């Protein structure tokens, strides 16, 4: 291990019980799972392993959703020599979110619309096969936020032994199953070796405005998929399918009667009055007026994680419909909430509402990163960086709130989050409910796009730090009456982005922040030209290193544009993130110093950085292809002082490595 990593790790190793990264083994040439082709790099998470499943060693396969790679060949000492290795043009334009999946000598990716699935041979970088789903041309027109697709799931052959046997009989190696959710809300399982369809299912009716943008996941032999369409009055749900047969196992809605939610009122817990308590009968119905819950939103388009020990799928639900809060009095349960469901039955173990009666489109769908607290208790915890600007730590056994802290220093919609009730105290000066319809409320922070959007953070368990891709923008917002029409946008509010005010001491540009344990050189790029006085406005983007258990920042690196791509950290003490103006950057995990910047890519980055090892060499890859909600480059670009987001261009997967 490089000196840098060793010293930083030992300084904080007491922070977490699980100091291992998500993958603890198998970076060699031998197969770690039966049936995985030789040369596979298979990983097994230390505390969230699924029996029978050996996911590829890329961060997208981590059930704990930590995006922390065990790979350590690229280090703070040598990262400056990182050079382009190869690139692959996807043939699609617009928002290339998410990342490919890699196993053995194959890389699978899904493109934005038309959602082509491509299998690449890692040795030749030629296509093995391409699958183009048959979809109605009108499907992408009903996606709220660009024609994105955040990736596919891969399941090893061991998880579907019948297919593996059939493949062997046919004289070829089974390469597992690839699962993709498409713009028209179909869920499709493919033979990973050939691209042949194994089964397909319809997640919801696209004519109602339902679509799929999120990546499905496979946990054991269960496929989990969510739905998008919160801006169309779609009622959110999470669904489970049998990996082998495609049989529907269960559906749990986000709103409605207990039977639809798969809630047992005596056993489902929610955090209230300082304890996790049973929710009580039809607690969702009681928090809506009339039948508003039927169009109530709470879609499930974000990240999923899995606690194998407890058998719990953990995820978040999105905003209530319509955005106009006056049209839906009540807490609007369980929109904008974190959920834990039993993988086998779908039954809810607990649910925690982050933003009751949301007035600002603060979807609660961002990923939850699982980790264990310090010994001896080793409390099972999760960390969640919400759009609403608060960082939550919950007990993942009970859903009890451990702590909530403002990670966006400008967040002003709530004056506090009550530690006893878990309830935010809304500032009436920032409330659309309070202001009434057709009245502009100024300077609400964060903006509707959140202090962090869908781009996933990473969590380094050894350092006890999360690395968060931040958006630092505010908004002026106005609600208005909106009538529902099936399949039409149903928004009921509009907003204008604004720059956020600079934070007070501690988070400003060029100023080290946090607990004083670092060198005082916390803001990397600005170190040389660090302005001594904090600027009046915060930079629109930032990479934030956050001490998860202490609930405070360690360092902040300012970016001129919001960060819209997923972060990767590595065991060697590096943090990687891509930018909307088309760079991939490597940071020192200890202090946020920029150690390497790529040549400018063909388009902006909204994809998630990934890393893998193949034939003894470590690679770092990321999609370039700007889009997603950040395709509103006008809105975002106008606010950037000294950088321009690159336009949505031809998408590419760009790969870097150290010289051989
Ligand atoms: O409520 C929903 O169903 C829903 C779906 C999506 C989506 O499917 O991408 C986004 C949002 N909401 C949303 O609020 C949002 O800010 C957003 C950003 C993005 C993106 O990919 O950049 N998608 C979405």
């Amino acid at each position: 291990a490089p000196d840098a990593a060793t010293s930083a790790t030992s300084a904080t190793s007491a922070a977490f019980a699980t100091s291992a990264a998500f993958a603890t083994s198998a970076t060699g040439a031998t197969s770690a799972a039966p049936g995985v082709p030789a040369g596979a790099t298979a990983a097994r998470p230390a505390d969230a392993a699924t029996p029978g499943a050996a996911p590829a060693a890329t961060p997208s396969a981590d059930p704990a959703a930590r995006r922390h790679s065990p790979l350590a060949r690229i280090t703070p000492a040598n990262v400056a020599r990182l050079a382009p290795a190869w690139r692959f043009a996807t043939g699609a334009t617009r928002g290339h979110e998410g990342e490919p999946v890699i196993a053995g000598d194959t890389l699978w990716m899904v493109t934005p619309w038309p959602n082509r699935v491509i299998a690449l041979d890692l040795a030749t970088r030629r296509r093995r096969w391409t699958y183009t789903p048959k979809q109605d041309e009108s499907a992408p027109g009903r996606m709220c936020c660009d024609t994105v697709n955040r990736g596919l799931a891969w399941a090893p052959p061991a998880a579907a032994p019948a297919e593996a046997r059939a493949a062997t009989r046919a004289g070829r190696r089974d390469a597992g199953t690839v699962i993709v959710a498409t713009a028209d809300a179909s869920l499709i399982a493919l033979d990973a070796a050939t691209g042949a369809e194994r089964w397909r299912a319809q997640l919801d009716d696209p004519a109602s405005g339902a679509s799929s943008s999120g990546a499905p996941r496979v946990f054991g032999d269960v496929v989990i998929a969510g739905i998008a369409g919160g801006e169309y009055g779609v009622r959110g749900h999470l669904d489970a399918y049998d990996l082998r047969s495609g049989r529907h196992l269960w559906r749990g809605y986000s709103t409605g009667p207990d039977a639809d939610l798969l809630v047992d009122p005596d056993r489902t817990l929610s955090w209230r009055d300082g304890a996790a308590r049973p929710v009580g009968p039809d607690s969702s119905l009681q928090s809506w007026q009339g039948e508003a819950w039927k169009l109530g939103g709470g879609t499930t388009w974000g990240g999923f994680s899995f606690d194998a020990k407890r058998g719990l799928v953990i995820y978040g639900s999105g905003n209530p419909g319509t955005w106009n809060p006056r049209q839906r009095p009540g807490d609007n349960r369980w929109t904008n909430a974190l959920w834990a469901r039993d993988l086998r039955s779908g039954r809810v173990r607990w649910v925690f509402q982050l933003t009751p009666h949301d007035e600002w489109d603060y979807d609660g769908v961002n990923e939850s990163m699982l980790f264990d607290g310090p010994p001896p208790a080793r409390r099972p915890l999760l960390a969640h960086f919400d759009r609403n600007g608060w960082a939550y730590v919950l007990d993942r056994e009970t859903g009890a709130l451990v702590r909530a802290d403002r990670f966006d220093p400008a967040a002003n919609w709530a004056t506090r989050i009550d530690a006893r009730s878990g309830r935010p105290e809304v500032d009436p000066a920032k409330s659309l409910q309070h202001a009434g319809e057709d009245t502009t409320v100024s300077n609400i922070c964060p903006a509707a796009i959140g202090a962090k959007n869908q781009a996933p953070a990473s969590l380094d368990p050894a350092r006890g730090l999360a690395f968060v891709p931040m958006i630092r923008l505010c908004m002026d917002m106005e609600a208005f009456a909106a009538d529902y029409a099936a399949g039409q946008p149903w928004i009921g509010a509009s907003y204008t982005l604004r720059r956020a005010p600079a934070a007070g001491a501690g988070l400003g540009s060029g100023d080290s922040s946090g607990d004083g344990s670092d060198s005082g050189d916390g803001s990397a790029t600005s170190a040389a030209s660090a302005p001594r006085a904090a600027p009046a406005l915060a930079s629109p983007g930032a990479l934030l290193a956050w001490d998860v258990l202490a609930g405070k920042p360690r360092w902040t690196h300012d970016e001129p544009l919001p960060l819209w791509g997923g972060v990767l950290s590595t065991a060697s003490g590096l943090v990687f993130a891509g930018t909307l103006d088309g760079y991939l950057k490597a940071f020192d995990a200890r202090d946020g110093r920029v150690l390497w910047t790529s040549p400018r890519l063909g388009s902006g980055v909204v994809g998630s950085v990934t890393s893998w090892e193949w034939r003894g060499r470590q690679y770092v890859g990321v999609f370039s292809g700007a889009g997603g909600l950040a395709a509103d480059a006008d809105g975002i670009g106008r606010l950037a002082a000294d950088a321009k987001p690159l336009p949505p261009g031809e998408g590419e997967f760009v790969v870097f490595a150290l010289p051989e």
Side-chain angles (χ1 to χ4, degrees):
D3 296 341
T6 319
S7 57
T9 304
S10 58
T12 54
S13 60
F16 286 81
T18 47
S19 64
F22 68 86
T24 54
S25 63
T27 47
T30 47
S31 146
V36 174
T41 55
R44 189 169 286 279
D47 62 350
T50 311
T58 48
S60 66
D62 175 16
R66 291 197 293 244
R67 304 192 55 76
H68 186 66
S69 170
L71 300 177
R73 288 183 197 262
I74 302 172
T75 69
N78 65 24
V79 68
R81 293 178 14 234
L82 215 50
W86 56 272
R87 49 177 62 198
F88 176 81
T90 66
T93 55
R94 308 201 64 85
H96 283 62
E97 292 183 347
E99 65 193 274
V101 166
I102 295 161
D105 52 7
T106 310
L107 177 153
W108 296 269
M109 63 173 74
V110 56
T111 71
W113 174 265
N115 305 141
R116 278 193 198 100
V117 181
I118 299 169
L120 277 191
D121 182 331
L122 278 183
T124 62
R125 286 143 222 158
R126 290 232 174 82
R127 287 176 201 237
R128 289 221 165 98
W129 51 261
T130 302
Y131 168 86
T132 307
K134 240 185 148 138
Q135 295 191 79
D136 186 333
E137 291 287 324
S138 68
R142 287 186 295 267
M143 297 183 79
C144 75
C145 310
D146 196 14
T147 61
V148 295
N149 187 302
R150 290 183 202 92
L152 25 81
W154 173 78
E163 282 80 357
R165 278 196 300 273
T168 309
R169 276 198 301 276
R172 59 177 176 79
R173 258 199 302 237
D174 188 86
T177 310
V178 165
I179 297 125
V180 63
T182 53
D184 68 352
S186 301
L187 184 69
I188 304 168
L190 303 174
D191 180 328
T194 64
E197 261 185 43
R198 283 187 165 160
W199 53 261
R200 59 187 298 155
Q202 194 63 40
L203 292 167
D204 206 328
D205 178 9
S208 73
S211 60
S212 292
S213 61
R217 296 294 304 265
V218 181
F219 302 122
D221 53 5
V222 178
V223 180
I224 295 290
I227 197 75
E231 276 60 61
Y232 289 77
V234 169
R235 180 184 172 210
H237 48 86
L238 191 76
D239 290 78
Y241 293 83
D242 179 67
L243 170 66
R244 272 163 243 182
S245 63
R247 189 166 58 88
H248 189 242
L249 300 175
W250 50 260
R251 163 172 295 185
Y253 280 99
S254 302
T255 68
D258 288 350
D260 290 7
L261 271 61
L262 306 183
V263 151
D264 179 340
D266 299 326
R267 303 183 74 165
T268 298
L269 300 173
S270 181
W271 175 253
R272 265 186 297 135
D273 308 325
R277 300 182 189 283
V279 296
D282 284 330
S283 57
S284 167
L285 286 186
Q286 288 166 27
S287 67
W288 296 88
Q289 237 169 45
E291 299 200 324
W293 56 270
K294 289 189 173 169
L295 303 171
T299 48
T300 50
W301 57 278
F304 310 134
S305 35
F306 182 57
D307 178 334
K309 190 168 166 203
R310 290 163 189 80
L312 294 177
V313 182
I314 296 172
Y315 68 102
S317 53
N319 62 281
T322 154
W323 287 13
N324 179 352
R326 292 236 166 179
Q327 285 182 256
R328 43 170 174 78
D331 273 357
N332 310 134
R333 292 182 191 152
W334 295 95
T335 61
N336 291 6
L338 292 182
W339 299 71
R341 289 184 187 271
D342 180 78
L343 178 71
R344 300 272 150 211
S345 65
R347 290 259 155 217
V348 181
R349 173 79 62 86
W350 54 257
V351 56
F352 178 94
Q353 197 172 31
L354 302 149
T355 313
H357 190 62
D358 172 31
E359 307 179 42
W360 314 274
D361 191 34
Y362 294 153
D363 298 53
V365 301
N366 289 352
E367 76 290 347
S368 289
M369 301 179 284
L370 313 188
F371 66 101
D372 292 338
R378 295 170 191 263
R379 196 171 175 191
L381 302 173
L382 67 82
H384 167 87
F385 291 81
D386 200 73
R387 250 160 100 143
N388 72 16
W390 289 73
Y392 294 81
V393 176
L394 299 190
D395 184 314
R396 62 179 194 267
E397 172 94 39
T398 61
L401 178 66
V402 175
R403 63 181 309 145
D405 303 274
R406 234 186 225 99
F407 72 94
D408 176 359
N412 62 13
W413 64 277
T415 51
R416 57 193 276 269
I417 287 177
D418 189 83
R420 258 197 86 68
S421 67
R423 221 185 152 79
E425 202 168 277
V426 172
D427 182 348
K430 304 298 172 193
S431 165
L432 304 185
Q433 174 76 34
H434 187 81
E437 289 170 356
D438 307 314
T439 306
T440 301
V441 179
S442 300
N443 280 313
I444 304 167
C445 311
I449 54 178
K452 171 192 174 297
N453 203 285
Q454 46 73 35
S458 84
L459 190 151
D460 178 339
R463 285 185 172 75
L465 291 181
F467 303 101
V468 186
M470 272 191 78
I471 304 162
R472 293 197 298 205
L473 294 172
C474 304
M475 65 178 170
D476 299 344
M477 193 180 200
E478 183 173 323
F480 50 83
D483 291 327
Y484 173 80
Q488 299 299 316
W490 189 46
I491 299 182
S494 61
Y495 65 87
T496 311
L497 294 175
R498 276 176 173 269
R499 295 283 297 271
L507 270 178
S509 171
D511 191 6
S512 169
S513 54
D515 57 12
S517 68
D518 63 15
S519 63
D521 182 22
S523 183
T525 45
S526 50
S529 58
R532 276 295 140 226
L537 297 173
S539 66
L543 178 65
L544 168 69
W546 182 261
D547 184 327
V548 177
L549 287 175
K552 57 186 184 184
R554 178 71 61 82
W555 52 258
T556 306
H557 163 84
D558 290 346
E559 277 288 330
L561 293 163
L563 286 189
W564 217 272
V567 174
L568 175 84
S569 50
T570 72
S572 58
L574 289 170
V575 186
F576 290 91
T579 67
L580 280 177
D581 53 346
Y583 298 100
L584 177 61
K585 297 183 181 179
F587 304 86
D588 190 322
R590 292 172 305 173
D591 55 14
R593 233 163 14 106
V594 180
L595 299 176
W596 171 78
T597 301
S598 75
R600 198 167 200 192
L601 310 178
S603 179
V605 176
V606 296
S608 298
V609 188
T610 184
S611 187
W612 67 97
E613 189 169 282
W614 190 70
R615 297 192 179 164
R617 207 169 171 208
Q618 185 184 353
Y619 296 86
V620 176
V622 72
F623 281 125
S624 115
L629 200 53
D632 177 22
D634 215 34
I636 290 174
R638 243 184 313 110
L639 299 167
D642 48 4
K644 282 281 162 266
L646 286 170
E650 300 288 324
E652 278 188 314
F653 185 64
V654 190
V655 180
F656 298 88
L658 295 174
E660 276 186 292

